């Protein structure tokens, strides 16, 4: 039988290892830690997290700016690829923590490579996110995390909140498994695994913010979540404002994507159509191309009174090059007479100006879940721009009232009919939609945020 002296070295080793682990754990909110300066417990500090490009996540940026506006402190965590909102870069209350970029060899659009590369990518993201939330940022009262991306975001958020005594709020933009289903198919085992992961790791959150009432009903009635589920509709931020006719013409005359057609725009013989996209599978731009093709045929044959269309499509993403290739083929074959298509990547400021200067906005968002809402439509309404969009999902009526501030379509034929109707000789219908858009856009982000998120976080009464 071994004596105590024989076990003593092992006991010392185990005790030392456990002590090192405990000492190395991230500090907790409301506790003293000799290695980390703990923030004043009376202040509201929020870790705002997106496992994506912060610059292309407007809602997350708006959360950060509004928390800071109400004298809270923000640690904004995500990838810093695109330009951030100027006010974030100058705010003394917001600290941006850039996540380590994903290595290039882990990036691929090929579906057959996804199951192979995904585990390595998840490990890299897990380490980067855990280190940022646990060690690079001070303890916070709240952790507000965007979902999706779901894996590994919700797991790391849950662990950090447990260790640091932080309350978790999930800001639901969509369902992660439904987006993955667009890539792999809804019956794929990884999609089923993702859904199970999402359901299990969201259950213990202190509260949930959702972008639509329809999404809230799914979480409450089907997922049976116990925490508060609060609808926080997207609303336009302050820099989305309507333009006067003089401001509109000045911008279009100087914008590189529109200047070449300025004479036609000023005379009314060219209409500006604008759409924004991430060039992802949940937006089918073949609908728009087919509709513009039909419009071009009509404008050069039986309905010569129709104006030219200048379509400006903004955004970055994986399917952009294929779209540009299709455009070039059609243009070379003379199929797009009377229609000009330009793509652009604009600053937030110029994007708002382009929307304010356009005649009509188009949304091709098809919604992988049926319950999310495209923020681009919110931005369009914020400048008083009427919107036509794909309306085949449950949440659409929460944003667009057909015939009041926009119109809906299902097919390219219906889209081309709307373009003919709205750009035809009777301009009264488009003007009525513009008036409705101006009215809807009058409700701003602060009006929506303060009584919902502001009250939840203890920043507003």
């Amino acid at each position: 039988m071994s004596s105590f002296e024989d076990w003593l070295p092992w006991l010392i080793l185990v005790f030392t290892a456990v002590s090192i682990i405990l000492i190395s754990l991230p500090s907790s909110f409301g506790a003293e830690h000799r290695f980390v300066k703990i923030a004043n417990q009376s202040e509201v500090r929020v870790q705002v997290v997106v496992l994506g490009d912060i610059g292309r996540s407007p809602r997350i940026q708006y959360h950060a700016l509004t928390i800071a506006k109400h004298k809270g402190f923000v640690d904004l965590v995500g990838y810093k690829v695109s330009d951030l909102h100027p006010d974030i870069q100058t705010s003394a209350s917001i600290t941006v923590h850039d996540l380590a970029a994903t290595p290039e060899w882990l990036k691929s659009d090929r579906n057959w490579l996804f199951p192979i590369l995904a585990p390595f990518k998840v490990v890299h993201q897990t380490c980067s996110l855990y280190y940022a939330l646990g060690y690079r940022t001070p303890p916070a009262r709240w952790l507000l995390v965007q979902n999706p991306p779901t894996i590994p975001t919700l797991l790391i958020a849950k662990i950090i909140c447990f260790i640091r005594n932080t309350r978790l709020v999930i800001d639901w933009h969509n369902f992660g498994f439904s987006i993955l289903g667009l890539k792999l198919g809804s019956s794929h085992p990884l999609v089923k695994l993702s859904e199970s992961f999402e359901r299990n790791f969201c259950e213990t959150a202190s509260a949930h913010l959702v972008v639509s009432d329809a999404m809230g009903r799914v979480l409450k009635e089907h997922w049976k979540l116990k925490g508060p589920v609060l609808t926080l509709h997207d609303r336009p931020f302050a820099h989305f404002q309507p333009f006067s006719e003089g401001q509109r013409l000045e911008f279009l005359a100087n914008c590189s994507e529109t200047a070449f057609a300025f004479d036609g725009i000023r005379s009314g013989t060219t209409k500006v159509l604008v759409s924004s996209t991430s060039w992802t599978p949940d937006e089918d731009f073949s609908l728009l191309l087919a509709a513009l093709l039909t419009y071009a045929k009509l404008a050069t044959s039986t309905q010569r009174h129709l104006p030219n269309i200048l379509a400006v499509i903004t955004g970055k993403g994986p399917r952009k090059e294929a779209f540009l290739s299709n455009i070039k083929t059609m243009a070379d074959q003379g199929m797009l007479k009377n229609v000009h298509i330009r793509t652009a990547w604009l600053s937030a400021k110029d994007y708002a100006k382009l929307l304010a200067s356009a005649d009509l906005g188009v949304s091709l968002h098809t919604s992988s879940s049926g319950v999310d809402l495209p923020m681009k439509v919110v931005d369009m309404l914020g400048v008083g721009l009427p919107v036509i969009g794909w309306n085949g999902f449950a949440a659409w009526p929460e944003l667009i009232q057909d015939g009041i501030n926009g119109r809906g379509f299902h097919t390219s034929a219906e889209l081309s009919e709307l373009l003919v109707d709205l750009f035809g000789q009777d301009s009264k219908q488009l003007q009525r939609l513009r008036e409705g858009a101006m009215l809807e856009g009058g409700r701003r982000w602060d009006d929506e945020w303060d009584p919902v998120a502001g009250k939840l976080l203890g920043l507003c009464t």
Side-chain angles (χ1 to χ4, degrees):
M1 183 174 180
S2 300
S3 64
F4 176 74
E5 287 78 8
D6 295 332
W7 283 97
L8 184 59
W10 293 102
L11 291 173
I12 292 174
L13 183 63
V14 171
F15 177 79
T16 302
V18 171
S19 298
I20 292 173
I21 292 172
L22 291 176
I23 292 172
S24 300
L25 286 175
S27 54
S28 299
F29 180 78
E32 293 298 329
H33 194 290
R34 58 178 167 172
F35 299 118
V36 180
K37 183 179 179 181
I38 305 300
N40 185 343
Q41 295 180 34
S42 64
E43 72 183 19
V44 176
R45 177 173 288 274
V46 186
Q47 292 174 315
V48 179
V49 183
V50 55
L51 194 62
D53 182 4
I54 300 173
R56 295 173 66 186
S57 305
R59 181 172 165 110
I60 283 296
Q61 294 187 81
Y62 297 169
H63 278 303
L65 287 167
T66 316
I67 292 168
K69 175 185 174 182
H70 289 289
K71 304 192 183 305
F73 294 87
V74 177
D75 292 291
L76 182 56
V77 179
Y79 297 110
K80 191 176 177 183
V81 181
S82 306
D83 292 337
L84 305 183
H85 191 288
D87 292 346
I88 287 180
Q89 301 181 64
T90 58
S91 174
S93 301
I94 301 174
T95 304
V96 179
H97 303 270
D98 187 12
L99 292 173
T102 303
E104 288 299 321
W105 66 273
L106 289 177
K107 300 176 183 178
S108 176
D109 294 328
R110 298 177 180 177
N111 288 354
W112 67 272
L113 274 176
F114 181 82
I116 300 172
L117 297 179
F120 297 99
K121 184 177 180 180
V122 167
V123 170
H124 179 272
Q125 291 175 328
T126 297
C127 296
S128 178
L129 189 58
Y130 180 79
Y131 179 68
L133 293 178
Y135 297 96
R136 291 172 58 194
T137 58
R141 180 173 299 178
W142 298 94
L143 194 160
L144 175 64
V145 60
Q146 174 183 309
N147 183 65
T150 302
I151 300 174
T153 317
L154 294 188
L155 170 62
I156 300 305
K158 187 173 182 178
I159 292 172
I160 289 295
C161 286
F162 175 76
I163 294 174
R164 307 196 84 173
N165 191 31
T166 296
R167 284 171 277 186
L168 175 62
V169 178
I170 301 175
D171 189 33
W172 295 81
H173 295 208
N174 204 341
F175 297 135
F177 76 90
S178 70
I179 294 177
L180 184 60
L182 293 176
K183 185 181 186 74
L184 301 178
S186 59
S187 61
H188 195 283
L190 287 180
V191 176
K192 298 297 183 184
L193 178 64
S194 176
E195 181 178 7
S196 177
F197 182 98
E198 197 162 12
R199 282 175 176 261
N200 287 322
F201 284 100
C202 73
E203 288 181 344
T204 56
S206 297
H208 306 265
L209 302 176
V210 294
V211 297
S212 72
D213 293 329
M215 183 178 289
R217 286 193 294 270
V218 171
L219 294 180
K220 286 186 283 189
E221 297 172 11
H222 298 286
W223 289 32
K224 307 295 183 183
L225 294 187
K226 298 176 183 178
V229 178
L230 309 172
T231 299
L232 178 60
H233 285 113
D234 284 320
R235 296 293 177 185
F237 212 61
H239 62 284
F240 288 96
Q241 296 290 341
F243 265 5
S244 66
E245 183 63 15
Q247 289 174 307
R248 173 180 180 268
L249 292 176
E250 180 183 1
F251 175 78
L252 294 174
N254 292 287
C255 176
S256 59
E257 286 76 22
T258 58
F260 76 96
F262 180 69
D263 289 341
I265 293 171
R266 181 169 52 185
S267 66
T269 58
T270 297
K271 297 295 185 182
V272 180
L273 186 75
V274 66
S275 186
S276 174
T277 179
S278 298
W279 301 102
T280 49
D282 62 347
E283 292 179 305
D284 185 3
F285 268 79
S286 66
L287 286 174
L288 179 59
L289 268 182
L292 290 174
L293 182 60
T294 301
Y295 182 95
K297 289 179 180 178
L298 292 173
T300 55
S301 58
T302 59
Q303 301 198 46
R304 293 180 177 273
H305 63 277
L306 291 173
N308 296 340
I309 287 180
L310 169 56
V312 182
I313 303 169
T314 70
K316 293 179 179 179
R319 296 193 167 193
K320 181 177 179 179
E321 293 307 317
F323 179 78
L324 290 175
S325 178
N326 287 339
I327 292 173
K328 186 177 185 305
T329 299
M330 290 181 177
D332 289 345
Q333 295 175 359
M335 301 168 68
L336 289 174
K337 292 179 180 178
N338 292 46
V339 173
H340 303 282
I341 302 175
R342 296 289 185 273
T343 59
W345 174 249
L346 303 173
S347 68
K349 186 176 180 181
D350 282 343
Y351 173 62
K353 290 180 178 180
L354 175 64
L355 295 186
S357 304
D359 295 290
L360 185 65
V362 176
S363 170
L364 295 161
H365 181 77
T366 55
S367 181
S368 62
S369 64
V371 294
D372 70 314
L373 285 169
M375 193 163 190
K376 72 194 75 176
V377 174
V378 176
D379 297 337
M380 292 172 183
L381 295 175
V383 299
L385 180 65
V387 181
I388 56 177
W390 194 83
N391 62 355
F393 56 101
W396 178 256
E398 293 185 37
L399 195 56
I400 294 296
Q401 298 171 283
D402 201 86
I404 304 297
N405 56 7
R407 298 290 303 275
F409 60 85
H410 274 75
T411 65
S412 61
E414 292 177 355
L415 175 53
S416 63
E417 288 175 10
L418 285 176
L419 294 177
V420 171
D421 288 345
L422 296 175
F423 287 159
Q425 292 176 323
D426 181 11
S427 62
K428 292 181 180 179
Q429 183 180 180
L430 187 59
Q431 181 57 34
R432 285 196 299 270
L433 295 181
R434 183 174 292 278
E435 291 170 359
M438 293 279 284
L439 186 63
E440 177 67 24
R443 184 168 175 81
R444 294 282 150 171
W445 171 259
D446 286 356
D447 300 326
E448 194 80 15
W449 194 91
D450 288 1
V452 181
K455 187 174 181 180
L456 173 68
L457 300 177
L459 291 166
C460 302
T461 55

